[in-house]
Every structure is written in C-alpha cells, then in structure tokens.
Amino acid sequence: MAKEVLRPSELKNKHKRENLYRKEKLEKQKKKSEKRKQLAKAEEKNPELKTKRLEENVPKTLDNTREADETMVDNDDEVIQDEAMDELASYFSGKTPKILVTSSKQCSPKCYDICAELVSMFPDAQFAKRGAKHELRQVIKIATEKEFTDLIIVNEDRKEPNAITLMHLPEGPSAYFKLTSFTPSKKITNHGKVTAHNPELILNNLNTRLGHTVGRMFQALLPQVPEFQGRQVITFHNQRDFIFVRRHRYVFRDTEKVGLQELGPKFTLKLRSLQKGIYKRDGEYEWIFKPEMETSRKRFFL
C-alpha cells in the first residue's frame, strides 16, 4: 500500500506545518536547479537546443500582444511618397537645423534649468528668455523671421515644468508632450562630460503613421551627419506610448566589449496632441488624446 503524502495544510501544529513547508520548498528548488544544470549541459553540447528554446519560449508582454493597428508602417510606398512631400521634407534634403528654446511667461528657475539642458542636447540650439508681454504668436513670428527651423517651449503649471511644445517652422507640424521624470545631468551618478560633437540618433518603436511623424520631428532636431569621434548618442525609445529620452556616450572597454556612460539629462515624454501647421488654439488637429480612447491596456498609438 502506497504511503499517503501529507500536505502542510493538513497539520494542526504550526511548527510542524512550517518545517514541512520549508522541506517541500527546498526539494522543489533542488529539482529545479538540477533540471537547469542538465539543460545547460545539453545546450552546451548542442547550441541549436538553446536557439530552439528561446524561439519557443517568448514571454507575452503588453508590447508584443498589442492590439492590431491599421496605421502600422512597414515599407509602405504610399507612406514614403507622403513623407517626401510633407512639411519636414526640407530637413531631409540637407537643411541644417537651427533651434530656439524658450519657456512660458515668468517661469521658475526649474524651467530655466530644463531649457539649459535642452540647449546642451541639441547642436545649434539657442535659448531666448521670454518676456512677460511676449505672446506665443510673437515668439513664433520672431523665430520664423530669424530662420529658426524648430521652436521648443518648456511649459509649466504652478511653477512646476509639466510639458514641452515642439513646433517645426515655418509650416509645422506642432506637437504637445506631457513632461515627467526629468533628471538633470548633475543629479545622475557618475555622469560624463558633454562635448561639442554632433550626436548620433536612435529612434525605437515609433511604428505607426503617428509615430513616424513624431520620429521625423525628433530627427529634424539633429544634424544629419553625426560626428562619430564624439561617441555621443541621443535615444528616443517608445514603450507603451511613453517616450524615454536618454543621452549616452559609448565606451570601448576592449575589442569585444562596449559600455555606456550616461551624460544626461533624462526625461519622459507622452504625446498629448499633434496639430497640422503652427500651433493655434482653434487649429486643425491631426491627433489629440482623449481619456475615452484608452479602451484597453493593449492599445497604443505610437
């Protein structure tokens, strides 16, 4: 007659129950560890087994199980033709970016600090202090007259920077981003020193038509030809419609290994609206976020 297996929940004595539970847990861990060791030995002899295991055991995430989007771009000839004739096309024909960075009226010192960090990020960027009487339309007019290609405005609410407005001059488009998690360079541990070299640009996961437009706006902020000797790179990484912005320098440790040194700043953007042309309160919106659009945790727009 087989011996009946006793479960911890069947024991009334607390100490015996805990001891039995620990013993069973330890046995499970030993079996799992032994199985992993055997698998590692088998994969060392036959690397194809590891490749097969990794292909089959892909974890399900919100990113790879996102809802299907009809506007996903995949080498679409129609999209290529549209982008060749849009407002940003002049940049891709060789125009050098010239950026004006400013703030909202009577802003706080925090806002000025963010502006300074943005000026350090983008080559050919200049800061202009905005006076109390300078309306937005006046700022746009002056920037256009002085042949700036882009205008970045750091907005704040109750003395806290909370948004960034990005306009491509002179014809748009204009994007409004929510700004969160801003960390200046000086607060990043072991951050590197920035040099005057033009950085490289990395755009990740901006795959829809809307994402393509936003990505092209980011591209228009940097010179087309990076200076590789500076080893600096700016990354706009989109994950679940949050755009994580980072600046690094890659460091060659030896002939095989490469490390990253963060330069800063780092912050997160979330697109709230995209408007055709230059920003106007009653302008035509290409896309605007509304709470009712969040019908599912797996629905993303970029």
Side-chain angles (χ1 to χ4, degrees):
M1 186 176 178
K3 188 177 179 181
E4 188 178 350
V5 178
L6 195 65
R7 292 181 295 178
S9 59
E10 294 174 348
L11 292 174
K12 293 183 179 180
N13 186 290
K14 179 182 177 182
H15 298 292
K16 288 184 178 179
R17 189 166 63 242
E18 287 178 350
N19 290 335
L20 182 59
Y21 173 75
R22 286 197 201 98
K23 186 178 178 181
E24 287 183 353
K25 188 176 180 181
L26 189 62
E27 287 177 358
K28 284 182 182 178
Q29 288 176 345
K30 285 182 178 178
K31 287 179 181 178
K32 196 173 183 180
S33 178
E34 190 62 34
K35 186 179 178 181
R36 282 183 174 176
K37 287 177 182 177
Q38 291 175 0
L39 185 63
K41 287 180 181 178
E43 288 178 349
E44 190 177 357
K45 292 179 181 177
N46 186 3
E48 291 181 3
L49 291 175
K50 184 175 182 179
T51 306
K52 184 181 178 182
R53 176 174 62 84
L54 293 175
E55 288 176 353
E56 292 176 351
N57 299 336
V58 177
K60 289 186 178 180
T61 64
L62 289 176
D63 295 299
N64 61 23
T65 58
R66 66 180 289 175
E67 288 185 3
D69 194 322
E70 294 177 355
T71 65
M72 292 290 281
V73 177
D74 186 19
N75 296 325
D76 192 330
D77 292 335
E78 184 182 345
V79 175
I80 294 171
Q81 290 175 6
D82 289 346
E83 290 179 347
M85 300 172 64
D86 67 7
E87 303 93 332
L88 296 160
S90 61
Y91 163 78
F92 294 92
S93 62
K95 193 172 183 179
T96 304
K98 185 182 176 185
I99 304 162
L100 178 64
V101 180
T102 189
S103 63
S104 52
K105 296 179 184 178
Q106 298 176 337
C107 67
S108 64
K110 287 183 181 178
C111 201
Y112 286 127
D113 292 341
I114 293 176
C115 289
E117 294 280 5
L118 293 175
V119 169
S120 76
M121 283 184 75
F122 303 110
D124 300 313
Q126 301 175 29
F127 172 73
K129 187 175 180 180
R130 186 173 171 185
K133 295 181 179 180
H134 286 159
E135 297 296 332
L136 182 58
R137 62 179 180 273
Q138 294 175 306
V139 175
I140 295 170
K141 183 181 177 182
I142 293 169
T144 305
E145 288 174 353
K146 294 194 175 183
E147 297 184 343
F148 284 96
T149 61
D150 294 274
L151 174 63
I152 299 175
I153 303 171
V154 180
N155 308 104
E156 66 176 12
D157 182 35
R158 298 177 184 179
K159 301 301 179 183
E160 283 294 328
N162 69 333
I164 286 179
T165 304
L166 172 61
M167 298 183 206
H168 186 72
L169 303 175
E171 298 177 352
S174 305
Y176 180 79
F177 299 93
K178 181 182 176 183
L179 172 67
T180 55
S181 306
F182 189 93
T183 305
S185 302
K186 62 185 179 183
K187 289 191 178 180
I188 296 174
T189 307
N190 298 325
H191 69 87
K193 287 187 176 182
V194 179
T195 62
H197 298 94
N198 293 341
E200 299 171 57
L201 175 66
I202 295 176
L203 297 172
N204 283 337
N205 299 333
L206 296 164
N207 300 323
T208 63
R209 287 293 298 266
L210 178 64
H212 256 233
T213 302
V214 172
R216 283 165 65 81
M217 291 184 75
F218 291 145
Q219 279 181 285
L221 297 174
L222 295 167
Q224 290 189 33
V225 182
E227 296 173 346
F228 296 106
Q229 60 268 36
R231 294 177 284 112
Q232 294 179 154
V233 56
I234 294 177
T235 303
F236 292 89
H237 175 77
N238 172 48
Q239 189 167 356
R240 302 173 193 174
D241 286 350
F242 289 92
I243 302 171
F244 299 94
V245 184
R246 300 290 185 270
R247 178 167 56 167
H248 293 90
R249 174 180 292 116
Y250 44 92
V251 182
F252 296 104
R253 306 199 186 282
D254 53 43
T255 55
E256 295 181 355
K257 294 183 179 179
V258 179
L260 288 176
Q261 180 186 34
E262 192 158 11
L263 302 178
K266 60 182 181 181
F267 52 93
T268 305
L269 301 173
K270 188 171 177 65
L271 183 67
R272 289 303 185 188
S273 67
L274 181 69
Q275 195 176 95
K276 290 183 177 180
I278 296 302
Y279 173 77
K280 293 180 182 177
R281 287 183 182 274
D282 57 347
E284 181 184 355
Y285 284 89
E286 189 172 329
W287 183 87
I288 186 168
F289 173 78
K290 295 178 182 178
E292 55 265 28
M293 294 167 69
E294 291 187 325
T295 55
S296 167
R297 292 180 67 224
K298 296 181 180 180
R299 188 183 183 194
F300 306 117
F301 303 99
L302 299 180

